[in-house]
Amino acid sequence: MGHGGARKGAGRPKGGGQYGEPTQPVRLPHSMIPSVLDYLANKGYQLPLFSSKVPAGFPSPADDHIEQHLDLNQHLIKHPAATFFVRVTGHSMVDAGIHENDILIIDRSLPALHGKIVVAAVDGQLTVKRLHQSAQGKLLLMPANPTFQPIEINDENDIHIWGVVTNVIHAV
Amino acid sequence: MGHGGARKGAGRPKGGGQYGEPTQPVRLPHSMIPSVLDYLANKGYQLPLFSSKVPAGFPSPADDHIEQHLDLNQHLIKHPAATFFVRVTGHSMVDAGIHENDILIIDRSLPALHGKIVVAAVDGQLTVKRLHQSAQGKLLLMPANPTFQPIEINDENDIHIWGVVTNVIHAV
DNA sequence: TCACTTGATTTAAGTTCAAAAATCAAATAT
DNA sequence: ATATTTGATTTTTGAACTTAAATCAAGTGA
């Protein structure tokens, strides 16, 4: 009558699930469940990173000669709560490699130091400018066109620096 | 003796949990649990996107005047299984806005069409080049230096196109 | 003897359950 | 009268439990 019996290898195979490894139930907020499942399906967006100086005799990225794996969010966004994006309009920063429709990654938690490219609100409008610190210690927004005067940041005018540009994302 | 009693508003407040909304147990693979918790803590990296043409009288990004929310992975990576990154070495593509140490996003599933910037393996080395299709329909990799000859892609030489560059990520 | 069916076993996956947390109100103490 | 303690209530939250899926081996029939 006995069919089967206690033995090694019987039963549903270990690691035969959809993830190929042990799982555990964790509670997720309702609104994030679809997004997390997408995140899982894409393995956390950990994609291979190659270097163009590495010999590449193997035409498939699915081999072992991979420098490392990268998640864009983790790599580009150090302070998620303090980071936002700005889509560029106009061509005022082409000399800094910033073009129309580029997406800028802005970190509000970084100090606005001399020479940094910043996003500021000037006349109620967002603008991207390079920050200069004068000899007197005053902060100036440098315009793209040198015939215009630098814009000083002080308590009188209503100019606020929103944050420092950390990366430029350009669609080719 | 009765303390408390059935009444509206008694008990632990609804939405008082760590997520402020109902939750549900979902099975996750062990290896992804830390990464998913990080993903949740950062609200799925859905960060605000502003436009620099939008009036910005409000100095805080934490207000309602936000164009939309964006997740870099979802926005930049349309085919996760076919996408990889390449870190740029050298200055051969500066005219296309590609600089040393930039990270290129490559999609292997896009057709390598005339004019596209592609990553190819030439002489066992990864290189970034613009693709040209000649009048005869031959595919050519155009070198940065015009004194060099274009490299033809055919069955004789061992040149493979790995994928099409979709975006350039540049650290300022 | 070989192919097919049936029962046992083991893991996967999702639901349910029970303990913990947080709040309100009555009871008690100051 | 005011502050503190205690019990009741409701939701959260992590773990236990149950059902389903997949595999092996013995039994059955051709």
Side-chain angles (χ1 to χ4, degrees):
Chain A
M1 317 149 178
H3 302 269
R7 81 212 88 102
K8 188 79 175 178
R12 185 169 176 169
K14 194 180 287 189
Q18 59 177 313
Y19 298 117
E21 62 173 306
T23 62
Q24 183 183 320
V26 300
R27 279 192 176 272
L28 305 182
H30 268 162
S31 67
M32 296 291 288
I33 291 178
S35 146
V36 167
L37 293 181
D38 172 80
Y39 181 81
L40 286 175
N42 296 312
K43 293 164 182 160
Y45 286 94
Q46 296 275 355
L47 303 183
L49 167 66
F50 299 84
S51 169
S52 61
K53 72 180 165 197
V54 162
F58 310 92
S60 165
D63 61 46
D64 303 323
H65 294 69
I66 292 172
E67 193 176 304
Q68 63 178 105
H69 283 258
L70 203 65
D71 171 11
L72 284 185
N73 282 333
Q74 291 171 15
H75 184 254
L76 297 175
I77 301 171
K78 308 297 185 191
H79 309 105
T83 297
F84 61 96
F85 307 121
V86 168
R87 184 178 294 279
V88 175
T89 58
H91 304 82
S92 63
M93 293 297 285
V94 284
D95 56 324
I98 298 177
H99 304 83
E100 178 133 43
N101 284 322
D102 284 358
I103 291 178
L104 305 180
I105 303 179
I106 321 289
D107 191 329
R108 285 170 57 81
S109 69
L110 297 180
L113 301 176
H114 173 82
K116 296 282 182 183
I117 295 177
V118 299
V119 167
V122 178
D123 297 332
Q125 193 99 3
L126 283 188
T127 53
V128 183
K129 294 251 184 313
R130 193 176 289 276
L131 193 68
H132 269 244
Q133 191 157 23
S134 71
Q136 298 85 32
K138 293 183 186 288
L139 289 175
L140 303 169
L141 296 177
M142 303 307 285
N145 189 330
T147 63
F148 286 106
Q149 283 291 104
I151 306 171
E152 185 182 330
I153 303 175
N154 55 39
D155 297 338
E156 272 75 59
N157 56 32
D158 194 42
I159 295 174
H160 294 94
I161 293 179
W162 277 35
V164 176
V165 177
T166 63
N167 293 92
V168 182
I169 299 171
H170 176 70
V172 298
Chain B
M1 316 209 163
H3 303 268
R7 82 212 88 102
K8 187 78 175 179
R12 187 169 175 168
K14 193 180 285 186
Q18 59 177 313
Y19 298 119
E21 62 172 307
T23 62
Q24 184 183 319
V26 176
R27 274 196 179 273
L28 305 181
H30 266 162
S31 67
M32 296 291 288
I33 291 179
S35 145
V36 167
L37 293 181
D38 172 81
Y39 181 79
L40 286 176
N42 296 312
K43 291 162 183 164
Y45 286 94
Q46 296 276 353
L47 303 183
L49 167 66
F50 299 84
S51 169
S52 61
K53 74 181 163 196
V54 162
F58 310 92
S60 165
D63 61 47
D64 304 323
H65 295 70
I66 292 171
E67 195 176 303
Q68 62 180 103
H69 283 258
L70 203 67
D71 172 13
L72 283 184
N73 282 334
Q74 292 171 14
H75 184 254
L76 297 175
I77 301 170
K78 308 297 185 193
H79 309 105
T83 297
F84 61 95
F85 307 121
V86 168
R87 184 178 294 278
V88 175
T89 56
H91 304 82
S92 63
M93 292 297 284
V94 284
D95 56 325
I98 298 176
H99 304 83
E100 175 133 43
N101 284 321
D102 284 358
I103 291 178
L104 305 180
I105 303 179
I106 322 288
D107 191 331
R108 285 169 58 81
S109 68
L110 296 180
L113 302 176
H114 173 80
K116 296 282 182 185
I117 295 176
V118 299
V119 168
V122 178
D123 297 332
Q125 193 99 2
L126 283 188
T127 53
V128 183
K129 294 248 181 322
R130 192 177 291 275
L131 194 68
H132 270 243
Q133 192 157 22
S134 70
Q136 298 85 34
K138 292 182 186 295
L139 288 175
L140 303 170
L141 294 178
M142 303 306 285
N145 189 332
T147 64
F148 287 107
Q149 283 291 103
I151 306 170
E152 185 182 330
I153 303 175
N154 55 40
D155 297 338
E156 273 74 60
N157 56 32
D158 192 44
I159 295 174
H160 294 93
I161 293 179
W162 277 33
V164 176
V165 177
T166 63
N167 292 92
V168 183
I169 299 172
H170 176 70
V172 298

